[in-house]
Amino acid sequence: MVTSRNAHPDQHAPHDDGGVYERPPRPLPTPRRIIADFGTSYATNGLIGLIFSASGPVAVILAAGAAGHLDRAVLSSWIFGVFALNGALTILASWVYRTPLAFAWTIPGTVLVGSSLQHLSWPEVLGAFVVTSVLITAIGLTGQVRRVMSALPQPIVMAMVAGVFMQFGINIFRSMDDDPGIAVPIVVVFVVLLAYRRLGRFIPPIIGALVAGALAVAVSGRFHLTAAPTTWLATPALQAPQFSIQACLELVIPLAITVIVVQNGQGTAVLESAGHRTPVNVVTIACGVFSGLAAAVGAVSSCLAGPTNALLVAGGQRERQYTAALTFGILAIVVGLAAPLFVELMLATPAAFVAAVGGLALLGALQNAFRTAFSSQCTLGALVTLLVTISGVDLLNIGAAFWGLLAGLLVAWAVEREDVRPARAG
């Protein structure tokens, strides 16, 4: 269907003219149109989306950086990349397609990188980021992204994700044992806001947990800046990759799968359930290109954000929700530009704060991963995938996530062949 120039404003889906690259509707929104579509509720949703992204998910980055002993300059550049670059992409894509298309970074990929940094060098990881960006772009250019999304059985993929996330879930309870004065208030407030859903509508549980943790840290007097940042303004550092077969074998396929199948698949499902049509091929190409730019400043691959987009479409008129994404994109750029200050503030908190908030931010994703992995089909393959992934096996110095995925696929094809096709179709 081709949208006419005089179409009603809510007829803003990408053109479907039989081509593989979804063309945006015309005309593009003018500044006057954007101002007319803007509203307090959309600005609020954009702000909540930004607060969510700047809380638990950032704690995941800091935990991954701690595993690799990355210094503050590298972490600041990483956070600049995931916020500023993805914020710019969000603004561009949401404006062109008049659809809330919020981009962030792959959280499962970040957790995977944290594990890999225990035996890979940072330049080797950067090399894997670059190769991943090329692969994602190439898949997008085929125009067959929806087919690629369904090529792997979802239970196997989500079992790998569950295995990757498992340690972060365990760290919630370890932090409660190691530092109860900080971790217990975080967990209690999170559970209370989950239990009382009316209250949780006004204060998202992860944000309430973040505030509770900040208050606990303040009361304990354990907020210590080890060194004031020399500047609040980010100075992203261009970083040279090092290409190694080991790093590419370990990271490229799992990273590409988490971006295209897990993250973009989740983001697409969220948006389409809200009545938006997602240009999946163009989104994949954009993720590949911007993942390459992110790799240049030491940031993990870009993706279409599922939870953030869910917050952006939480209310208001469908044809105006793109302004919430524009708000999110602008605020994300601001956070990215202030990355040095942001990193210092986060690192000044006790380790239990980062562990508890980061683990709780992933709890819903971990629950969904288990639900998808073991709900019906390919359950034995999913179980094998989970067990191998959490085992930490590094055969041929290649990480466990790769071997878990491979082992689960082999078991599913050998033992559950009748489930594989239905699982893929689902």
Side-chain angles (χ1 to χ4, degrees), residues 299-333:
V300 73
S301 306
S302 300
C303 66
L304 190 66
T308 300
N309 277 301
L311 294 170
L312 299 183
V313 299
Q317 299 174 356
R318 178 175 61 86
E319 65 273 12
R320 298 172 61 189
Q321 288 172 341
Y322 75 98
T323 60
L326 296 179
T327 303
F328 168 82
I330 293 170
L331 294 175
I333 292 175

Side-chain angles (χ1 to χ4, degrees), residues 233-317:
L233 190 63
T235 54
L238 293 178
Q239 301 176 42
Q242 177 182 334
F243 299 97
S244 76
I245 295 176
Q246 177 189 341
C248 289
L249 287 175
E250 179 173 334
L251 289 173
V252 171
I253 297 299
L255 279 175
I257 288 173
T258 60
V259 170
I260 297 175
V261 179
V262 180
Q263 303 275 193
N264 287 6
Q266 183 185 52
T268 297
V270 165
L271 291 173
E272 294 191 350
S273 67
H276 298 282
R277 184 173 180 186
T278 309
V280 291
N281 293 317
V282 172
V283 161
T284 304
I285 295 170
C287 287
V289 172
F290 272 75
S291 292
L293 296 176
V297 295
V300 73
S301 306
S302 300
C303 66
L304 190 66
T308 300
N309 277 301
L311 294 170
L312 299 183
V313 299
Q317 299 174 356

Side-chain angles (χ1 to χ4, degrees), residues 21-408:
Y21 310 122
E22 305 91 344
R23 291 189 299 156
R26 290 292 187 267
L28 295 174
T30 62
R32 180 177 296 180
R33 177 75 265 171
I34 294 173
I35 293 172
D37 287 340
F38 196 75
T40 303
S41 63
Y42 308 106
T44 300
N45 288 344
L47 175 61
I48 292 174
L50 186 280
I51 293 173
F52 171 84
S53 297
S55 55
V58 170
V60 177
I61 291 179
L62 296 180
H69 306 288
L70 303 182
D71 61 31
R72 283 170 166 75
V74 172
L75 289 173
S76 295
S77 190
W78 186 339
I79 290 178
F80 167 83
V82 296
F83 278 103
L85 292 178
N86 289 315
L89 177 56
T90 297
I91 293 171
L92 178 62
S94 301
W95 172 63
V96 170
Y97 281 93
R98 210 180 310 170
T99 298
L101 296 170
F103 292 82
W105 64 96
T106 166
I107 296 176
T110 302
V111 178
L112 184 63
V113 167
S115 299
S116 297
L117 280 172
Q118 297 178 27
H119 55 270
L120 293 175
S121 69
W122 181 237
E124 286 179 309
V125 170
L126 295 180
F129 287 171
V130 173
V131 176
T132 302
S133 73
V134 173
L135 177 59
I136 294 172
T137 304
I139 292 173
L141 289 172
T142 67
Q144 302 296 318
V145 174
R146 288 190 187 271
R147 186 171 298 177
V148 171
M149 283 181 174
S150 61
L152 293 172
Q154 277 292 102
I156 305 296
V157 173
M158 297 311 290
M160 181 196 74
V161 173
V164 169
F165 282 175
M166 184 79 75
Q167 190 59 48
F168 276 76
I170 293 172
N171 285 343
I172 297 173
F173 302 99
R174 285 182 176 168
S175 66
M176 294 176 69
D177 181 48
D178 295 340
D179 198 344
I182 300 298
V184 169
I186 294 174
V187 175
V188 168
V189 170
F190 183 84
V191 172
V192 168
L193 290 175
L194 278 180
Y196 295 93
R197 296 187 178 183
R198 289 185 178 180
L199 183 60
R201 292 176 184 174
F202 298 97
I203 306 175
I206 189 61
I207 296 175
L210 180 72
V211 173
L215 291 174
V217 171
V219 170
S220 70
R222 293 169 57 197
F223 181 80
H224 301 295
L225 284 171
T226 57
T230 56
T231 176
W232 289 12
L233 190 63
T235 54
L238 293 178
Q239 301 176 42
Q242 177 182 334
F243 299 97
S244 76
I245 295 176
Q246 177 189 341
C248 289
L249 287 175
E250 179 173 334
L251 289 173
V252 171
I253 297 299
L255 279 175
I257 288 173
T258 60
V259 170
I260 297 175
V261 179
V262 180
Q263 303 275 193
N264 287 6
Q266 183 185 52
T268 297
V270 165
L271 291 173
E272 294 191 350
S273 67
H276 298 282
R277 184 173 180 186
T278 309
V280 291
N281 293 317
V282 172
V283 161
T284 304
I285 295 170
C287 287
V289 172
F290 272 75
S291 292
L293 296 176
V297 295
V300 73
S301 306
S302 300
C303 66
L304 190 66
T308 300
N309 277 301
L311 294 170
L312 299 183
V313 299
Q317 299 174 356
R318 178 175 61 86
E319 65 273 12
R320 298 172 61 189
Q321 288 172 341
Y322 75 98
T323 60
L326 296 179
T327 303
F328 168 82
I330 293 170
L331 294 175
I333 292 175
V334 173
V335 171
L337 292 175
L341 175 63
F342 196 70
V343 169
E344 289 296 337
L345 292 176
M346 291 293 288
L347 291 179
T349 61
F353 175 89
V354 174
V357 174
L360 291 173
L362 296 177
L363 204 57
L366 180 60
Q367 181 184 17
N368 291 333
F370 271 104
R371 183 183 295 118
T372 303
F374 300 107
S375 59
S376 57
Q377 296 143 342
C378 301
T379 53
L380 180 59
L383 178 61
V384 170
T385 298
L386 175 68
L387 293 175
V388 174
T389 301
I390 65 177
S391 71
V393 62
D394 58 350
L395 184 64
L396 301 177
N397 288 323
I398 299 173
F402 173 83
W403 295 117
L405 188 66
L406 180 60

Side-chain angles (χ1 to χ4, degrees), residues 403-418:
W403 295 117
L405 188 66
L406 180 60
L409 287 171
L410 291 175
V411 169
W413 278 106
V415 181
E416 302 171 309
R417 193 170 301 174
E418 68 280 2

